[in-house]
Amino acid sequence: GVNFSKLGKSNFQEWRTKLLTKHIVQNVSGAAPVVEVTGVQNGSEKTFKISQYKGRYLVIVFYQADFTAADLVQSFATIQPLLTSNGTDLVFCSADSTETHKSWLSSDLGGSFSAPLWTDKTGALATSFDLFDSEKKTCLDGVVVIDDSSII
């Protein structure tokens, strides 16, 4: 695996390379989709748009479900300070409802982190990156990196 804890600011490019080889990163390019989603951040329900992150890099970690993806989410939450210090925001996205997100965060499995948990119940956002299973109505595990100009 990748030991993210030993990477500092000067090794950000190395981190990105390891991220791309460790996780499923979609090979999609073009402008980021214009989609509005609801989600939970710091216990409160909010509305989010990719455009609100313009000027910073954005890493969206898609995962199947809150109560089954704790390891994946925690591994990225652990490196959130490194991402933030390098001008990158981190968000998580699944098809779970905001109520499920809140329940998961308040459980022992949810852990504690400040990154938003986005809700994509219809798959509108995940489908843009070919990361939605329409039969199961779940997001697929994958990572999307959007640059500071909102280009994938």
Side-chain angles (χ1 to χ4, degrees):
V2 178
N3 184 352
F4 293 111
S5 64
K6 294 188 178 189
L7 297 177
K9 283 184 180 183
S10 62
N11 295 328
F12 187 64
Q13 292 303 324
E14 177 186 345
W15 169 85
R16 285 183 62 193
T17 301
K18 289 182 178 186
L19 170 74
L20 297 177
T21 57
K22 180 172 172 60
H23 296 283
I24 302 166
V25 177
Q26 286 306 97
N27 188 17
V28 179
S29 62
V34 179
V35 177
E36 189 173 284
V37 295
T38 57
V40 176
Q41 184 174 24
N42 299 322
S44 298
E45 191 170 325
K46 298 180 179 181
T47 301
F48 299 93
K49 297 179 193 176
I50 290 175
S51 62
Q52 77 190 62
Y53 297 90
K54 192 168 185 168
R56 294 180 55 82
Y57 276 74
L58 177 64
V59 173
I60 306 173
V61 178
F62 289 90
Y63 61 99
Q64 293 180 25
D66 288 343
F67 287 93
T68 61
D71 290 342
L72 174 66
V73 172
Q74 266 319 123
S75 70
F76 278 92
T78 300
I79 62 166
Q80 184 177 3
L82 174 64
L83 293 171
T84 302
S85 69
N86 282 283
T88 303
D89 289 306
L90 173 67
V91 300
F92 299 99
C93 187
S94 76
D96 288 329
S97 68
T98 54
E99 292 78 19
T100 301
H101 287 330
K102 288 177 183 179
S103 295
W104 181 55
L105 288 171
S106 65
S107 75
D108 290 339
L109 296 172
S112 66
F113 52 90
S114 61
L117 296 176
W118 289 1
T119 296
D120 190 17
K121 290 190 77 60
T122 64
L125 179 60
T127 299
S128 302
F129 305 113
D130 199 24
L131 287 170
F132 192 73
D133 184 328
S134 56
E135 289 181 18
K136 294 181 181 177
K137 305 247 186 273
T138 61
C139 294
L140 302 173
D141 291 348
V143 178
V144 174
V145 180
I146 301 172
D147 74 13
D148 54 355
S149 299
S150 295
I151 303 297
I152 304 164

